[in-house]
Amino acid sequence: MTSATDEHRIVAGAFTQRVRGVSPAAWDNPAPCEGWVARDVVRHLVEWFPAFLKSGAGVELPQGPSVDNDPVAAWTVHCDGVQALLDDPATAGKVLSNPHIGEVPLDQAVDRFYTADVFMHTWDLARASGQEETLDPVRCARMLDGMLPLDDVLRKSGQYGPRVEVPESADAQTRLLAFIGRTP
């Protein structure tokens, strides 16, 4: 298993490729998340996570331009800031405190809540912008295995849509996407 630092580098790298691959005209294409367009996928990631870090660990990430003005630069500044946080040796000694999850080592919190979100939204951005949609099958299977026992908790959070039925024989990516409420 890779470290949180390396996991982010890999997962965010794949998302960055998709961000850079969006044609200017495709930023307003509908995304699989109801009511979102491609630009909103990036907006979601660069907006929720900085507030989560600031409130839970007192960490402030650098802010780039508005996603409305330059989604590529907004993502790049954000992503580089998260990677710098993970690359900083001092991060290993920091803790994130949150009323819903308790106290979690900061690097583990980034990995569990943010990097996982980036991974899943890679498919959303790819689908919205007509790019390669294939996700790492090992990560898909590992993530799904970790989420299945938390089905009720995840559904009650309101962050996932209703589960979509797919055959049990479906590949790991299809089963993961269906689990989080996407129609693969």
Side-chain angles (χ1 to χ4, degrees):
M1 187 136 185
T2 58
S3 70
T5 303
D6 292 339
E7 188 72 6
H8 180 266
R9 187 173 284 110
I10 294 164
V11 169
F15 189 81
T16 298
Q17 288 178 334
R18 298 319 189 289
V19 169
R20 290 181 179 152
V22 177
S23 70
W27 282 112
D28 293 318
N29 287 357
C33 305
E34 188 176 334
W36 285 14
V37 296
R39 178 183 317 274
D40 294 324
V41 176
V42 174
R43 181 187 326 279
H44 164 71
L45 294 169
V46 303
E47 288 183 357
W48 82 263
F49 191 59
F52 180 75
L53 280 180
K54 187 174 182 181
S55 68
V59 172
E60 291 196 45
L61 292 174
Q63 278 193 305
S66 161
V67 172
D68 290 323
N69 295 334
D70 190 343
V72 176
W75 169 254
T76 301
V77 170
H78 172 78
C79 180
D80 289 350
V82 173
Q83 193 63 54
L85 173 68
L86 291 168
D87 288 339
D88 183 348
T91 297
K94 294 183 180 179
V95 172
L96 183 130
S97 182
N98 179 285
H100 303 288
I101 61 171
E103 290 193 352
V104 179
L106 183 55
D107 60 342
Q108 290 179 25
V110 171
D111 187 51
R112 195 177 309 157
F113 301 105
Y114 172 74
T115 303
D117 203 33
V118 174
F119 181 74
M120 291 182 281
H121 285 303
T122 299
W123 183 83
D124 294 325
L125 185 59
R127 172 64 58 105
S129 59
Q131 296 183 68
E132 174 57 47
E133 297 178 7
T134 304
L135 300 175
D136 179 318
V138 173
R139 277 188 182 82
C140 287
R142 187 174 63 226
M143 187 172 288
L144 181 60
D145 287 346
M147 294 172 81
L148 284 171
L150 303 171
D151 192 4
D152 288 341
V153 172
L154 294 174
R155 299 278 167 240
K156 289 177 186 172
S157 75
Q159 296 174 3
Y160 299 93
R163 193 175 190 165
V164 174
E165 293 302 319
V166 295
E168 283 190 38
S169 62
D171 62 67
Q173 176 175 319
T174 299
R175 289 182 291 121
L176 173 66
L177 292 170
F179 179 83
I180 64 172
R182 306 294 195 274
T183 303

